[in-house]
Amino acid sequence: AQSVAQPEDQVNVAEGNPLTVKCTYSVSGNPYLFWYVQYPNRGLQFLLKYITGDNLVKGSYGFEAEFNKSQTSFHLKKPSALVSDSALYFCAVRDQDSGTYKYIFGTGTRLKVLA
Amino acid sequence: EAGVAQSPRYKIIEKRQSVAFWCNPISGHATLYWYQQILGQGPKLLIQFQNNGVVDDSQLPKDRFSAERLKGVDSTLKIQPAKLEDSAVYLCASSRPMDGGYNEQFFGPGTRLTVL
């Protein structure tokens, strides 16, 4: 069965420091991987995705993520955190070989950037 | 482009009452999704439409939940009767045609349902 794990409920980082939000996945076929961000009282916003090709993908607001097939991971990163990056981050996977293209979301990681 | 619209934004009902949520997707988006997001959890897919046909409703509690997407545009999700455990945020999302499933989804602001 497909699954996504976000092992950290919360990540705290000082403003200006690099940040990493972790995500690991399990699918039967090739994965499509996504990161979304959720601000309070708002819906999810797309950040970036990995479909194929270069393992390092760049997205919105200076975020990037690295796909690692051997470790089945897709960690979200940013070189220098901003206070405005504080939000709830969700990793999601789509199993492109299953035919349903259903998203499976992780439980979310709350990022807190301290000034 | 206009985003995904949802209404109402908030709803409070008593258990055993019924409630309906409305969603209007981004123009031209053939695929529409309803998710349930319980506090502290990630969104869970309830139902997925491609135009006005159901693609996946495997996690929809069909004894109390129903959804329709007449004319392949806007959609309604209904709960009848509601239970306490239905308290959650209901998110609607849409995406471009399901060509290989690589398109990202665009989410509405959600409807926060409280069942007392």
Side-chain angles (χ1 to χ4, degrees), chain A residues 27-106:
Chain A
V27 298
S28 56
N30 292 313
Y32 289 163
L33 294 155
F34 300 79
W35 275 101
Y36 286 81
V37 59
Q38 187 173 34
Y39 297 101
N41 298 314
R42 297 178 66 178
L44 281 72
Q45 296 178 36
F46 168 75
L47 278 179
L48 50 78
K49 64 183 176 184
Y50 171 83
I51 304 300
T52 187
D54 194 348
N55 289 344
L56 184 64
V57 293
K58 296 186 182 298
S60 307
Y61 314 120
F63 284 93
E64 58 188 29
E66 186 168 11
F67 171 65
N68 187 318
K69 189 171 184 177
S70 63
Q71 296 185 6
T72 61
S73 67
F74 189 55
H75 300 332
L76 181 70
K77 300 181 180 182
K78 188 173 182 181
S80 178
L82 300 172
V83 172
S84 57
D85 293 330
S86 298
L88 189 55
Y89 290 80
F90 289 97
C91 180
V93 65
R94 243 173 179 175
D95 182 355
Q96 68 177 86
D97 293 338
S98 70
T100 64
Y101 308 118
K102 183 166 65 179
Y103 268 27
I104 302 295
F105 281 91

Side-chain angles (χ1 to χ4, degrees), chain B residues 93-104:
Chain B
S94 68
S95 66
R96 294 183 181 87
M98 203 169 62
D99 308 331
Y102 51 78
N103 289 308
E104 62 270 24

Side-chain angles (χ1 to χ4, degrees), chain B:
Chain B
E1 60 184 357
V4 176
Q6 288 188 250
S7 68
R9 291 296 309 276
Y10 304 92
K11 190 76 178 177
I12 300 174
I13 61 173
E14 301 278 337
K15 60 182 179 182
R16 291 188 290 273
Q17 286 186 325
S18 61
V19 64
F21 312 127
W22 175 82
C23 172
N24 187 256
I26 292 173
S27 177
H29 282 193
T31 311
L32 185 146
Y33 314 78
W34 282 103
Y35 289 89
Q36 180 191 59
Q37 186 178 18
I38 293 173
L39 188 65
Q41 299 181 17
K44 182 183 83 172
L45 180 69
L46 293 175
I47 189 166
Q48 176 179 337
F49 292 94
Q50 175 76 0
N51 296 310
N52 60 350
V54 175
V55 173
D56 189 321
D57 63 358
S58 57
Q59 298 187 102
L60 186 74
K62 299 181 185 63
D63 58 334
R64 298 185 299 107
F65 286 64
S66 64
E68 60 183 11
R69 191 185 183 197
L70 301 176
K71 301 180 182 177
V73 181
D74 55 355
S75 176
T76 303
L77 176 70
K78 296 179 181 178
I79 307 175
Q80 183 180 10
K83 292 185 176 182
L84 296 177
E85 59 261 36
D86 297 332
S87 293
V89 175
Y90 291 85
L91 295 167
C92 179
S94 68
S95 66
R96 294 183 181 87
M98 203 169 62
D99 308 331
Y102 51 78
N103 289 308
E104 62 270 24
Q105 297 180 12
F106 295 82
F107 285 81
T111 296
R112 183 176 299 277
L113 173 67
T114 301
V115 182
L116 303 175

